[in-house]
Amino acid sequence: LRWGPGREDVLLLSDQIPPFDMIKVEGKVGSFKLIWFATVLDKIYVPIYYLDDFQTYEGSWAKRYLSGHRLNLKLKMGVELGISEVVLYGGKNRHPEPYYLNPLLPYYGEQFNRDMDDNILWSFDIVLSTFRNKELYFELLVDDFQYDFESEPHQTGFQLGLNWAKPFGWRRSYLNLEYTKINNWVYGQNKPWNIYTYYGWGMGSLLGPDADRWSFELIYHFSKDVDLILSEEYRRKGKGRIATPQTSAVPSSQKFPSGDVEYKNQNKFTLSYQPSTNLQLDLSLGYNKIKNVKNERGVKNDAFIFKAKLSLNLWKERRF
């Protein structure tokens, strides 16, 4: 699953994690499309957790579940809108909840009515392709919306991007520009089984919380089989992590990114050769420059990186 319009990355559901074994339903009526899924995530071991003054989890395994639904609207005028909602919930003796298995019920309302503390995330995205050879897209992520606007700050992230075919009149070329920012505490939660991970991987943006990134990519179609790709990325990463323990209310961040910020700059050139739909060879040479590696002040890492990737696709489709 991949929900979001981003090219380099998305905020809510990424396809860069281990795949789900899930139940999924899709339906389309006119310009509307509804997607719903439910899955069982990996269990996690909780050494000790104080749920309240009367209940303690000690040395137990917590079950974890994920459900989500998305409504998409695509208009002929070149506008596409999407609204998505996912819920991650679980616990020692908890089972799949029927109200989270209903594709039409808003999860946030069900959580509020039943006085539960599950991890609910919203995403709103829009794609505008009304301009000639250009496409603008935007995504907003809201983690645990605070209806009182007082108890704690909203944990949010956003992404803004541009796709441009034949930029500045340069034929056979394609340009992508993208900026992503994710505030601290996003994807986390005060209950360890509600942290937004799957087998240790963050299920949202690959950046994780407390980070932002600029990315640039220029593709030149040299021939029918060969693409030349030039890309650059500049990234800042604070000390915040998805698994950082949270209290019931997270504090307001005074600085973004927080702590000793890790700075990373990557330049890369790629040659992509695809003689058929079943075979592709990618060769890339890049240079990474990192300052304050893993948020340790003064630690640097500069390196040239060469990658070779061979893809063989044996998938076949038949019409009945």
Side-chain angles (χ1 to χ4, degrees):
L1 289 175
R2 178 184 172 93
W3 288 0
R7 178 175 176 85
E8 290 295 320
D9 199 4
V10 291
L11 302 186
L12 185 63
L13 272 178
S14 171
D15 57 354
Q16 301 298 313
I17 61 173
F20 298 134
D21 293 324
M22 62 184 168
I23 301 173
K24 182 164 75 80
V25 177
E26 294 188 18
K28 188 175 181 181
V29 178
S31 300
F32 289 92
K33 183 178 182 181
L34 177 66
I35 306 173
W36 168 86
F37 78 94
T39 184
V40 179
L41 300 178
D42 56 314
K43 295 181 181 179
I44 66 167
Y45 184 75
V46 183
I48 184 170
Y49 177 75
Y50 298 99
L51 185 61
D52 51 40
D53 294 336
F54 309 100
Q55 187 176 1
T56 303
Y57 287 178
E58 291 190 43
S60 61
W61 287 89
K63 302 175 183 178
R64 307 171 72 232
Y65 310 96
L66 180 71
S67 294
H69 46 194
R70 174 178 173 85
L71 183 63
N72 199 79
L73 172 62
K74 191 171 185 178
L75 303 176
K76 293 182 179 179
M77 64 181 68
V79 178
E80 187 169 357
L81 302 169
I83 178 171
S84 307
E85 182 184 38
V86 298
V87 56
L88 196 160
Y89 63 101
K92 181 179 178 181
N93 299 313
R94 201 165 182 190
H95 302 287
E97 301 287 4
Y99 45 87
Y100 288 149
L101 300 180
N102 188 324
L104 302 180
L105 287 180
Y107 301 148
Y108 190 88
E110 290 301 314
Q111 174 194 235
F112 182 82
N113 291 336
R114 298 177 186 276
D115 195 25
M116 302 297 293
D117 188 15
D118 301 321
N119 194 4
I120 293 179
L121 295 90
W122 292 343
S123 173
F124 308 90
D125 56 79
I126 181 171
V127 179
L128 302 176
S129 54
T130 57
F131 314 100
R132 179 178 177 84
N133 295 337
K134 300 179 187 69
E135 181 180 78
L136 291 170
Y137 57 88
F138 174 79
E139 181 180 5
L140 173 67
L141 177 72
V142 180
D143 184 0
D144 285 330
F145 176 76
Q146 305 301 317
Y147 62 89
D148 60 2
F149 291 88
E150 294 180 357
S151 55
E152 61 180 278
H154 296 295
Q155 292 97 64
T156 59
F158 74 89
Q159 183 177 79
L160 181 65
L162 166 68
N163 292 319
W164 189 0
K166 202 166 70 172
F168 307 107
W170 193 11
R171 298 180 59 188
R172 298 185 181 182
S173 59
Y174 181 88
L175 176 69
N176 173 260
L177 294 172
E178 195 170 89
Y179 176 71
T180 305
K181 178 183 178 182
I182 304 175
N183 291 319
N184 204 355
W185 308 108
V186 175
Y187 303 124
Q189 225 244 12
N190 59 320
K191 293 183 173 63
W193 51 83
N194 285 343
I195 293 175
Y196 201 64
T197 60
Y198 181 47
Y199 286 108
W201 293 71
M203 293 186 289
S205 170
L206 300 180
L207 280 177
D210 201 13
D212 67 347
R213 173 179 61 196
W214 282 97
S215 67
F216 161 88
E217 183 180 63
L218 178 64
I219 302 175
Y220 179 67
H221 302 294
F222 182 78
S223 68
K224 181 175 69 70
D225 302 333
V226 177
D227 285 346
L228 304 177
I229 306 169
L230 179 65
S231 60
E232 182 172 4
E233 177 184 297
Y234 177 74
R235 179 186 306 185
R236 298 186 300 170
K237 177 67 176 176
K239 66 179 183 179
R241 299 293 187 270
I242 297 179
T244 300
Q246 295 187 10
T247 59
S248 57
V250 302
S252 299
S253 298
Q254 301 298 322
K255 176 189 175 185
F256 177 87
S258 65
D260 293 322
V261 180
E262 177 187 272
Y263 300 93
K264 179 180 180 180
N265 185 236
Q266 181 186 69
N267 300 277
K268 185 169 64 174
F269 175 77
T270 303
L271 186 149
S272 180
Y273 174 62
Q274 187 175 8
S276 70
T277 56
N278 304 99
L279 181 65
Q280 182 173 341
L281 174 64
D282 295 324
L283 302 175
S284 64
L285 177 64
Y287 179 71
N288 286 356
K289 185 176 182 180
I290 308 176
K291 180 182 177 182
N292 297 339
V293 178
K294 296 183 178 180
N295 305 105
E296 295 185 20
R297 181 178 299 182
V299 180
K300 299 180 180 181
N301 187 353
D302 299 347
F304 284 97
I305 298 177
F306 175 77
K307 291 184 179 181
K309 178 182 178 181
L310 179 65
S311 303
L312 180 63
N313 183 2
L314 302 178
W315 183 269
K316 292 184 180 180
E317 293 185 359
R318 289 184 174 88
R319 292 180 177 268
F320 295 95

